[in-house]
Amino acid sequence: MTMTNPLGAIPKRVEVYEVGPRDGLQNELRTLATADKARLIEALVGSGLKRIEVSSFVSPRWIPQLADAEKLIGLVPRREGVVFTALVPNLKGLERARAAGLQEAAVFLSVTESHSQKNINKSVADAISTAREVANGARAAGMRVRCYLSTVWGCPYEGITPVARVVEVVKQLADIGFYQLSLGDTIGVGTPSQTAEIVGEVSKVVGLGQIALHLHDTRGTALANALVGLSMGVTTFDASIGGLGGCPYAPGAAGNLATEDLVFMLQGMGVETGIDLGKLVEAGELAQELIGRKLSGKYLQAALGEREKMANRARK
Ligand code: HMG
Ligand code: MG
């Protein structure tokens, strides 16, 4: 009997872009102490993650949990080969990121008007011109920029987003010079067939290599959507330790795809990530302790449960 691989040609290597310290901590009621955020980032670096979004240079009035971005970046030692990045909404944010010593930043905009207004108080058209300004400023400063697109699958205010709308926005971003476009399922409403359509249509405008997927797991479909992206050739996935995450200006947005769940799946499929799953679990355990609640990541909970069972057995 011949076996055909229903998944197509799976990439050999995938880059995991960790957003826990930013997307995760922006949505927590409890603001962590700067030193604790630094410990978490150190633990993430220790697991082998090479790209980490450590904070945001947005207005501290809008996201008070991340108001200590400069201080935090000053606290975490740099490691060869590890890139720290941060979210910036405008030139002021970019300048803060540059002054803090970052060589990379991420700008963000929504493809739907209502979320754009709620999140950054701007129309989509104004957000695109700001993103262009940020990209130009970054180029002049020798920095590189990725661009997030939010509400690509659906919007908390406007429902399911038509793919044609996503393509319209991507066309306006295509010549700006972002090294990557991260497509966001902000409120976790995406399904696999929708993901296939989005990745298929967007990759007709920009190369597959330029696309990252940023999947929130609100309804349990993030990993399935990631698998669809992977099978189509996407090689960068955003994920968050323990499944932390959510946008405070997108009601109902819950955690991102958990980094450990993604890495477990990739490793099992023979896809290289350079990440040590055991160390990732330690980082997830630390995140859980610091935040003070059980996190939603499934692999994390399974690993911690297993460890407890073994410890109980050893005690008997
Ligand atoms: P605004 O109030 O409309 O704008 O905010 P403004 O330009 O008039 O500025 C108001 C004040 O903020 C001024 O200070 C500015 O100087 C200051 P004042 O004169 O009143 O003292 N300000 C800043 N301060 C520090 N850093 C800055 C900065 N910019 C202005 N960079 C603004 C507009 C965009 C600033 C605001 O709406 C904002 O910061 N929004 C951020 C919202 C946010 O961070 N949301 C969550 C991240 S997005 C997300 O999670 C989605 C994502 O994960 C992908 C996905 O899941 O889809 C990325
Ligand atoms: Mg997000």
Side-chain angles (χ1 to χ4, degrees):
M1 195 174 78
T2 51
M3 295 277 287
T4 51
N5 179 358
L7 296 174
I10 297 292
K12 285 193 169 39
R13 191 172 171 87
V14 151
E15 187 151 60
V16 179
Y17 180 101
E18 171 65 39
V19 295
R22 193 279 300 170
D23 205 328
L25 300 185
Q26 77 183 9
N27 203 40
E28 289 296 321
L29 291 176
R30 181 194 284 193
T31 298
L32 296 194
T34 312
D36 287 339
K37 293 178 182 175
R39 276 176 68 202
L40 177 60
I41 295 167
E42 283 274 290
L44 294 167
V45 170
S47 77
L49 281 156
K50 293 283 183 276
R51 300 181 65 211
I52 306 178
E53 204 164 272
V54 292
S55 192
S56 283
F57 291 101
V58 298
S59 159
R61 273 199 271 136
W62 284 64
I63 306 280
Q65 296 92 327
L66 303 182
D68 60 350
E70 280 88 352
K71 191 172 157 206
L72 173 63
I73 290 166
L75 271 187
V76 194
R78 301 303 153 85
R79 298 278 163 67
E80 183 75 32
V82 179
V83 176
F84 288 160
T85 180
L87 209 59
V88 301
N90 50 24
L91 278 176
K92 181 165 185 171
L94 180 75
E95 175 48 30
R96 288 177 61 200
R98 191 202 57 74
L102 294 190
Q103 272 153 10
E104 193 175 312
V107 72
F108 55 107
L109 50 91
S110 305
V111 301
T112 56
E113 284 300 335
S114 338
H115 182 254
S116 184
Q117 292 292 349
K118 300 270 188 204
N119 197 37
I120 50 172
N121 202 20
K122 279 188 182 71
S123 67
V124 176
D126 287 349
I128 293 173
S129 31
T130 301
R132 193 180 284 276
E133 274 172 21
V134 169
N136 290 340
R139 203 169 302 118
M143 294 168 73
R144 66 173 197 162
V145 188
R146 91 187 313 221
C147 179
Y148 282 104
L149 280 77
S150 287
T151 62
V152 166
W153 280 252
C155 171
Y157 311 102
E158 298 178 26
I160 296 295
T161 307
V163 181
R165 172 63 185 157
V166 178
V167 170
E168 196 183 314
V169 174
V170 170
K171 280 185 176 157
Q172 295 175 66
L173 300 172
D175 71 338
I176 295 185
F178 298 115
Y179 76 88
Q180 196 161 63
L181 296 182
S182 177
L183 308 179
D185 185 7
T186 314
I187 53 167
V189 289
T191 58
S193 46
Q194 198 189 359
T195 303
E197 194 185 358
I198 290 167
V199 172
E201 291 304 312
V202 172
S203 63
K204 287 180 193 160
V205 185
V206 294
L208 260 179
Q210 215 183 322
I211 298 174
L213 296 182
H214 178 100
L215 303 161
H216 283 259
D217 200 26
T218 322
R219 291 166 184 78
T221 51
L223 200 54
N225 290 329
L227 183 58
V228 169
L230 184 73
S231 70
M232 295 175 77
V234 174
T235 53
T236 303
F237 295 88
D238 299 0
S240 174
I241 189 74
L244 284 168
C247 174
Y249 300 100
N256 286 267
L257 172 57
T259 313
E260 324 77 65
D261 293 358
L262 174 67
V263 170
F264 173 71
M265 179 186 83
L266 292 171
Q267 279 190 0
M269 295 175 73
V271 179
E272 275 175 48
T273 60
I275 297 167
D276 179 323
L277 201 45
K279 294 229 170 88
L280 210 48
V281 168
E282 286 171 22
E285 193 180 12
L286 174 66
Q288 194 162 264
E289 266 169 43
L290 295 175
I291 287 160
R293 68 180 169 82
K294 202 166 166 175
L295 300 183
S296 62
K298 289 201 167 47
Y299 185 89
L300 175 66
Q301 295 312 331
L304 295 180
E306 194 59 35
R307 205 179 62 189
E308 201 176 313
K309 239 192 266 165
M310 294 206 347
N312 284 341
R313 243 183 255 139
R315 258 184 245 122
K316 276 183 197 155

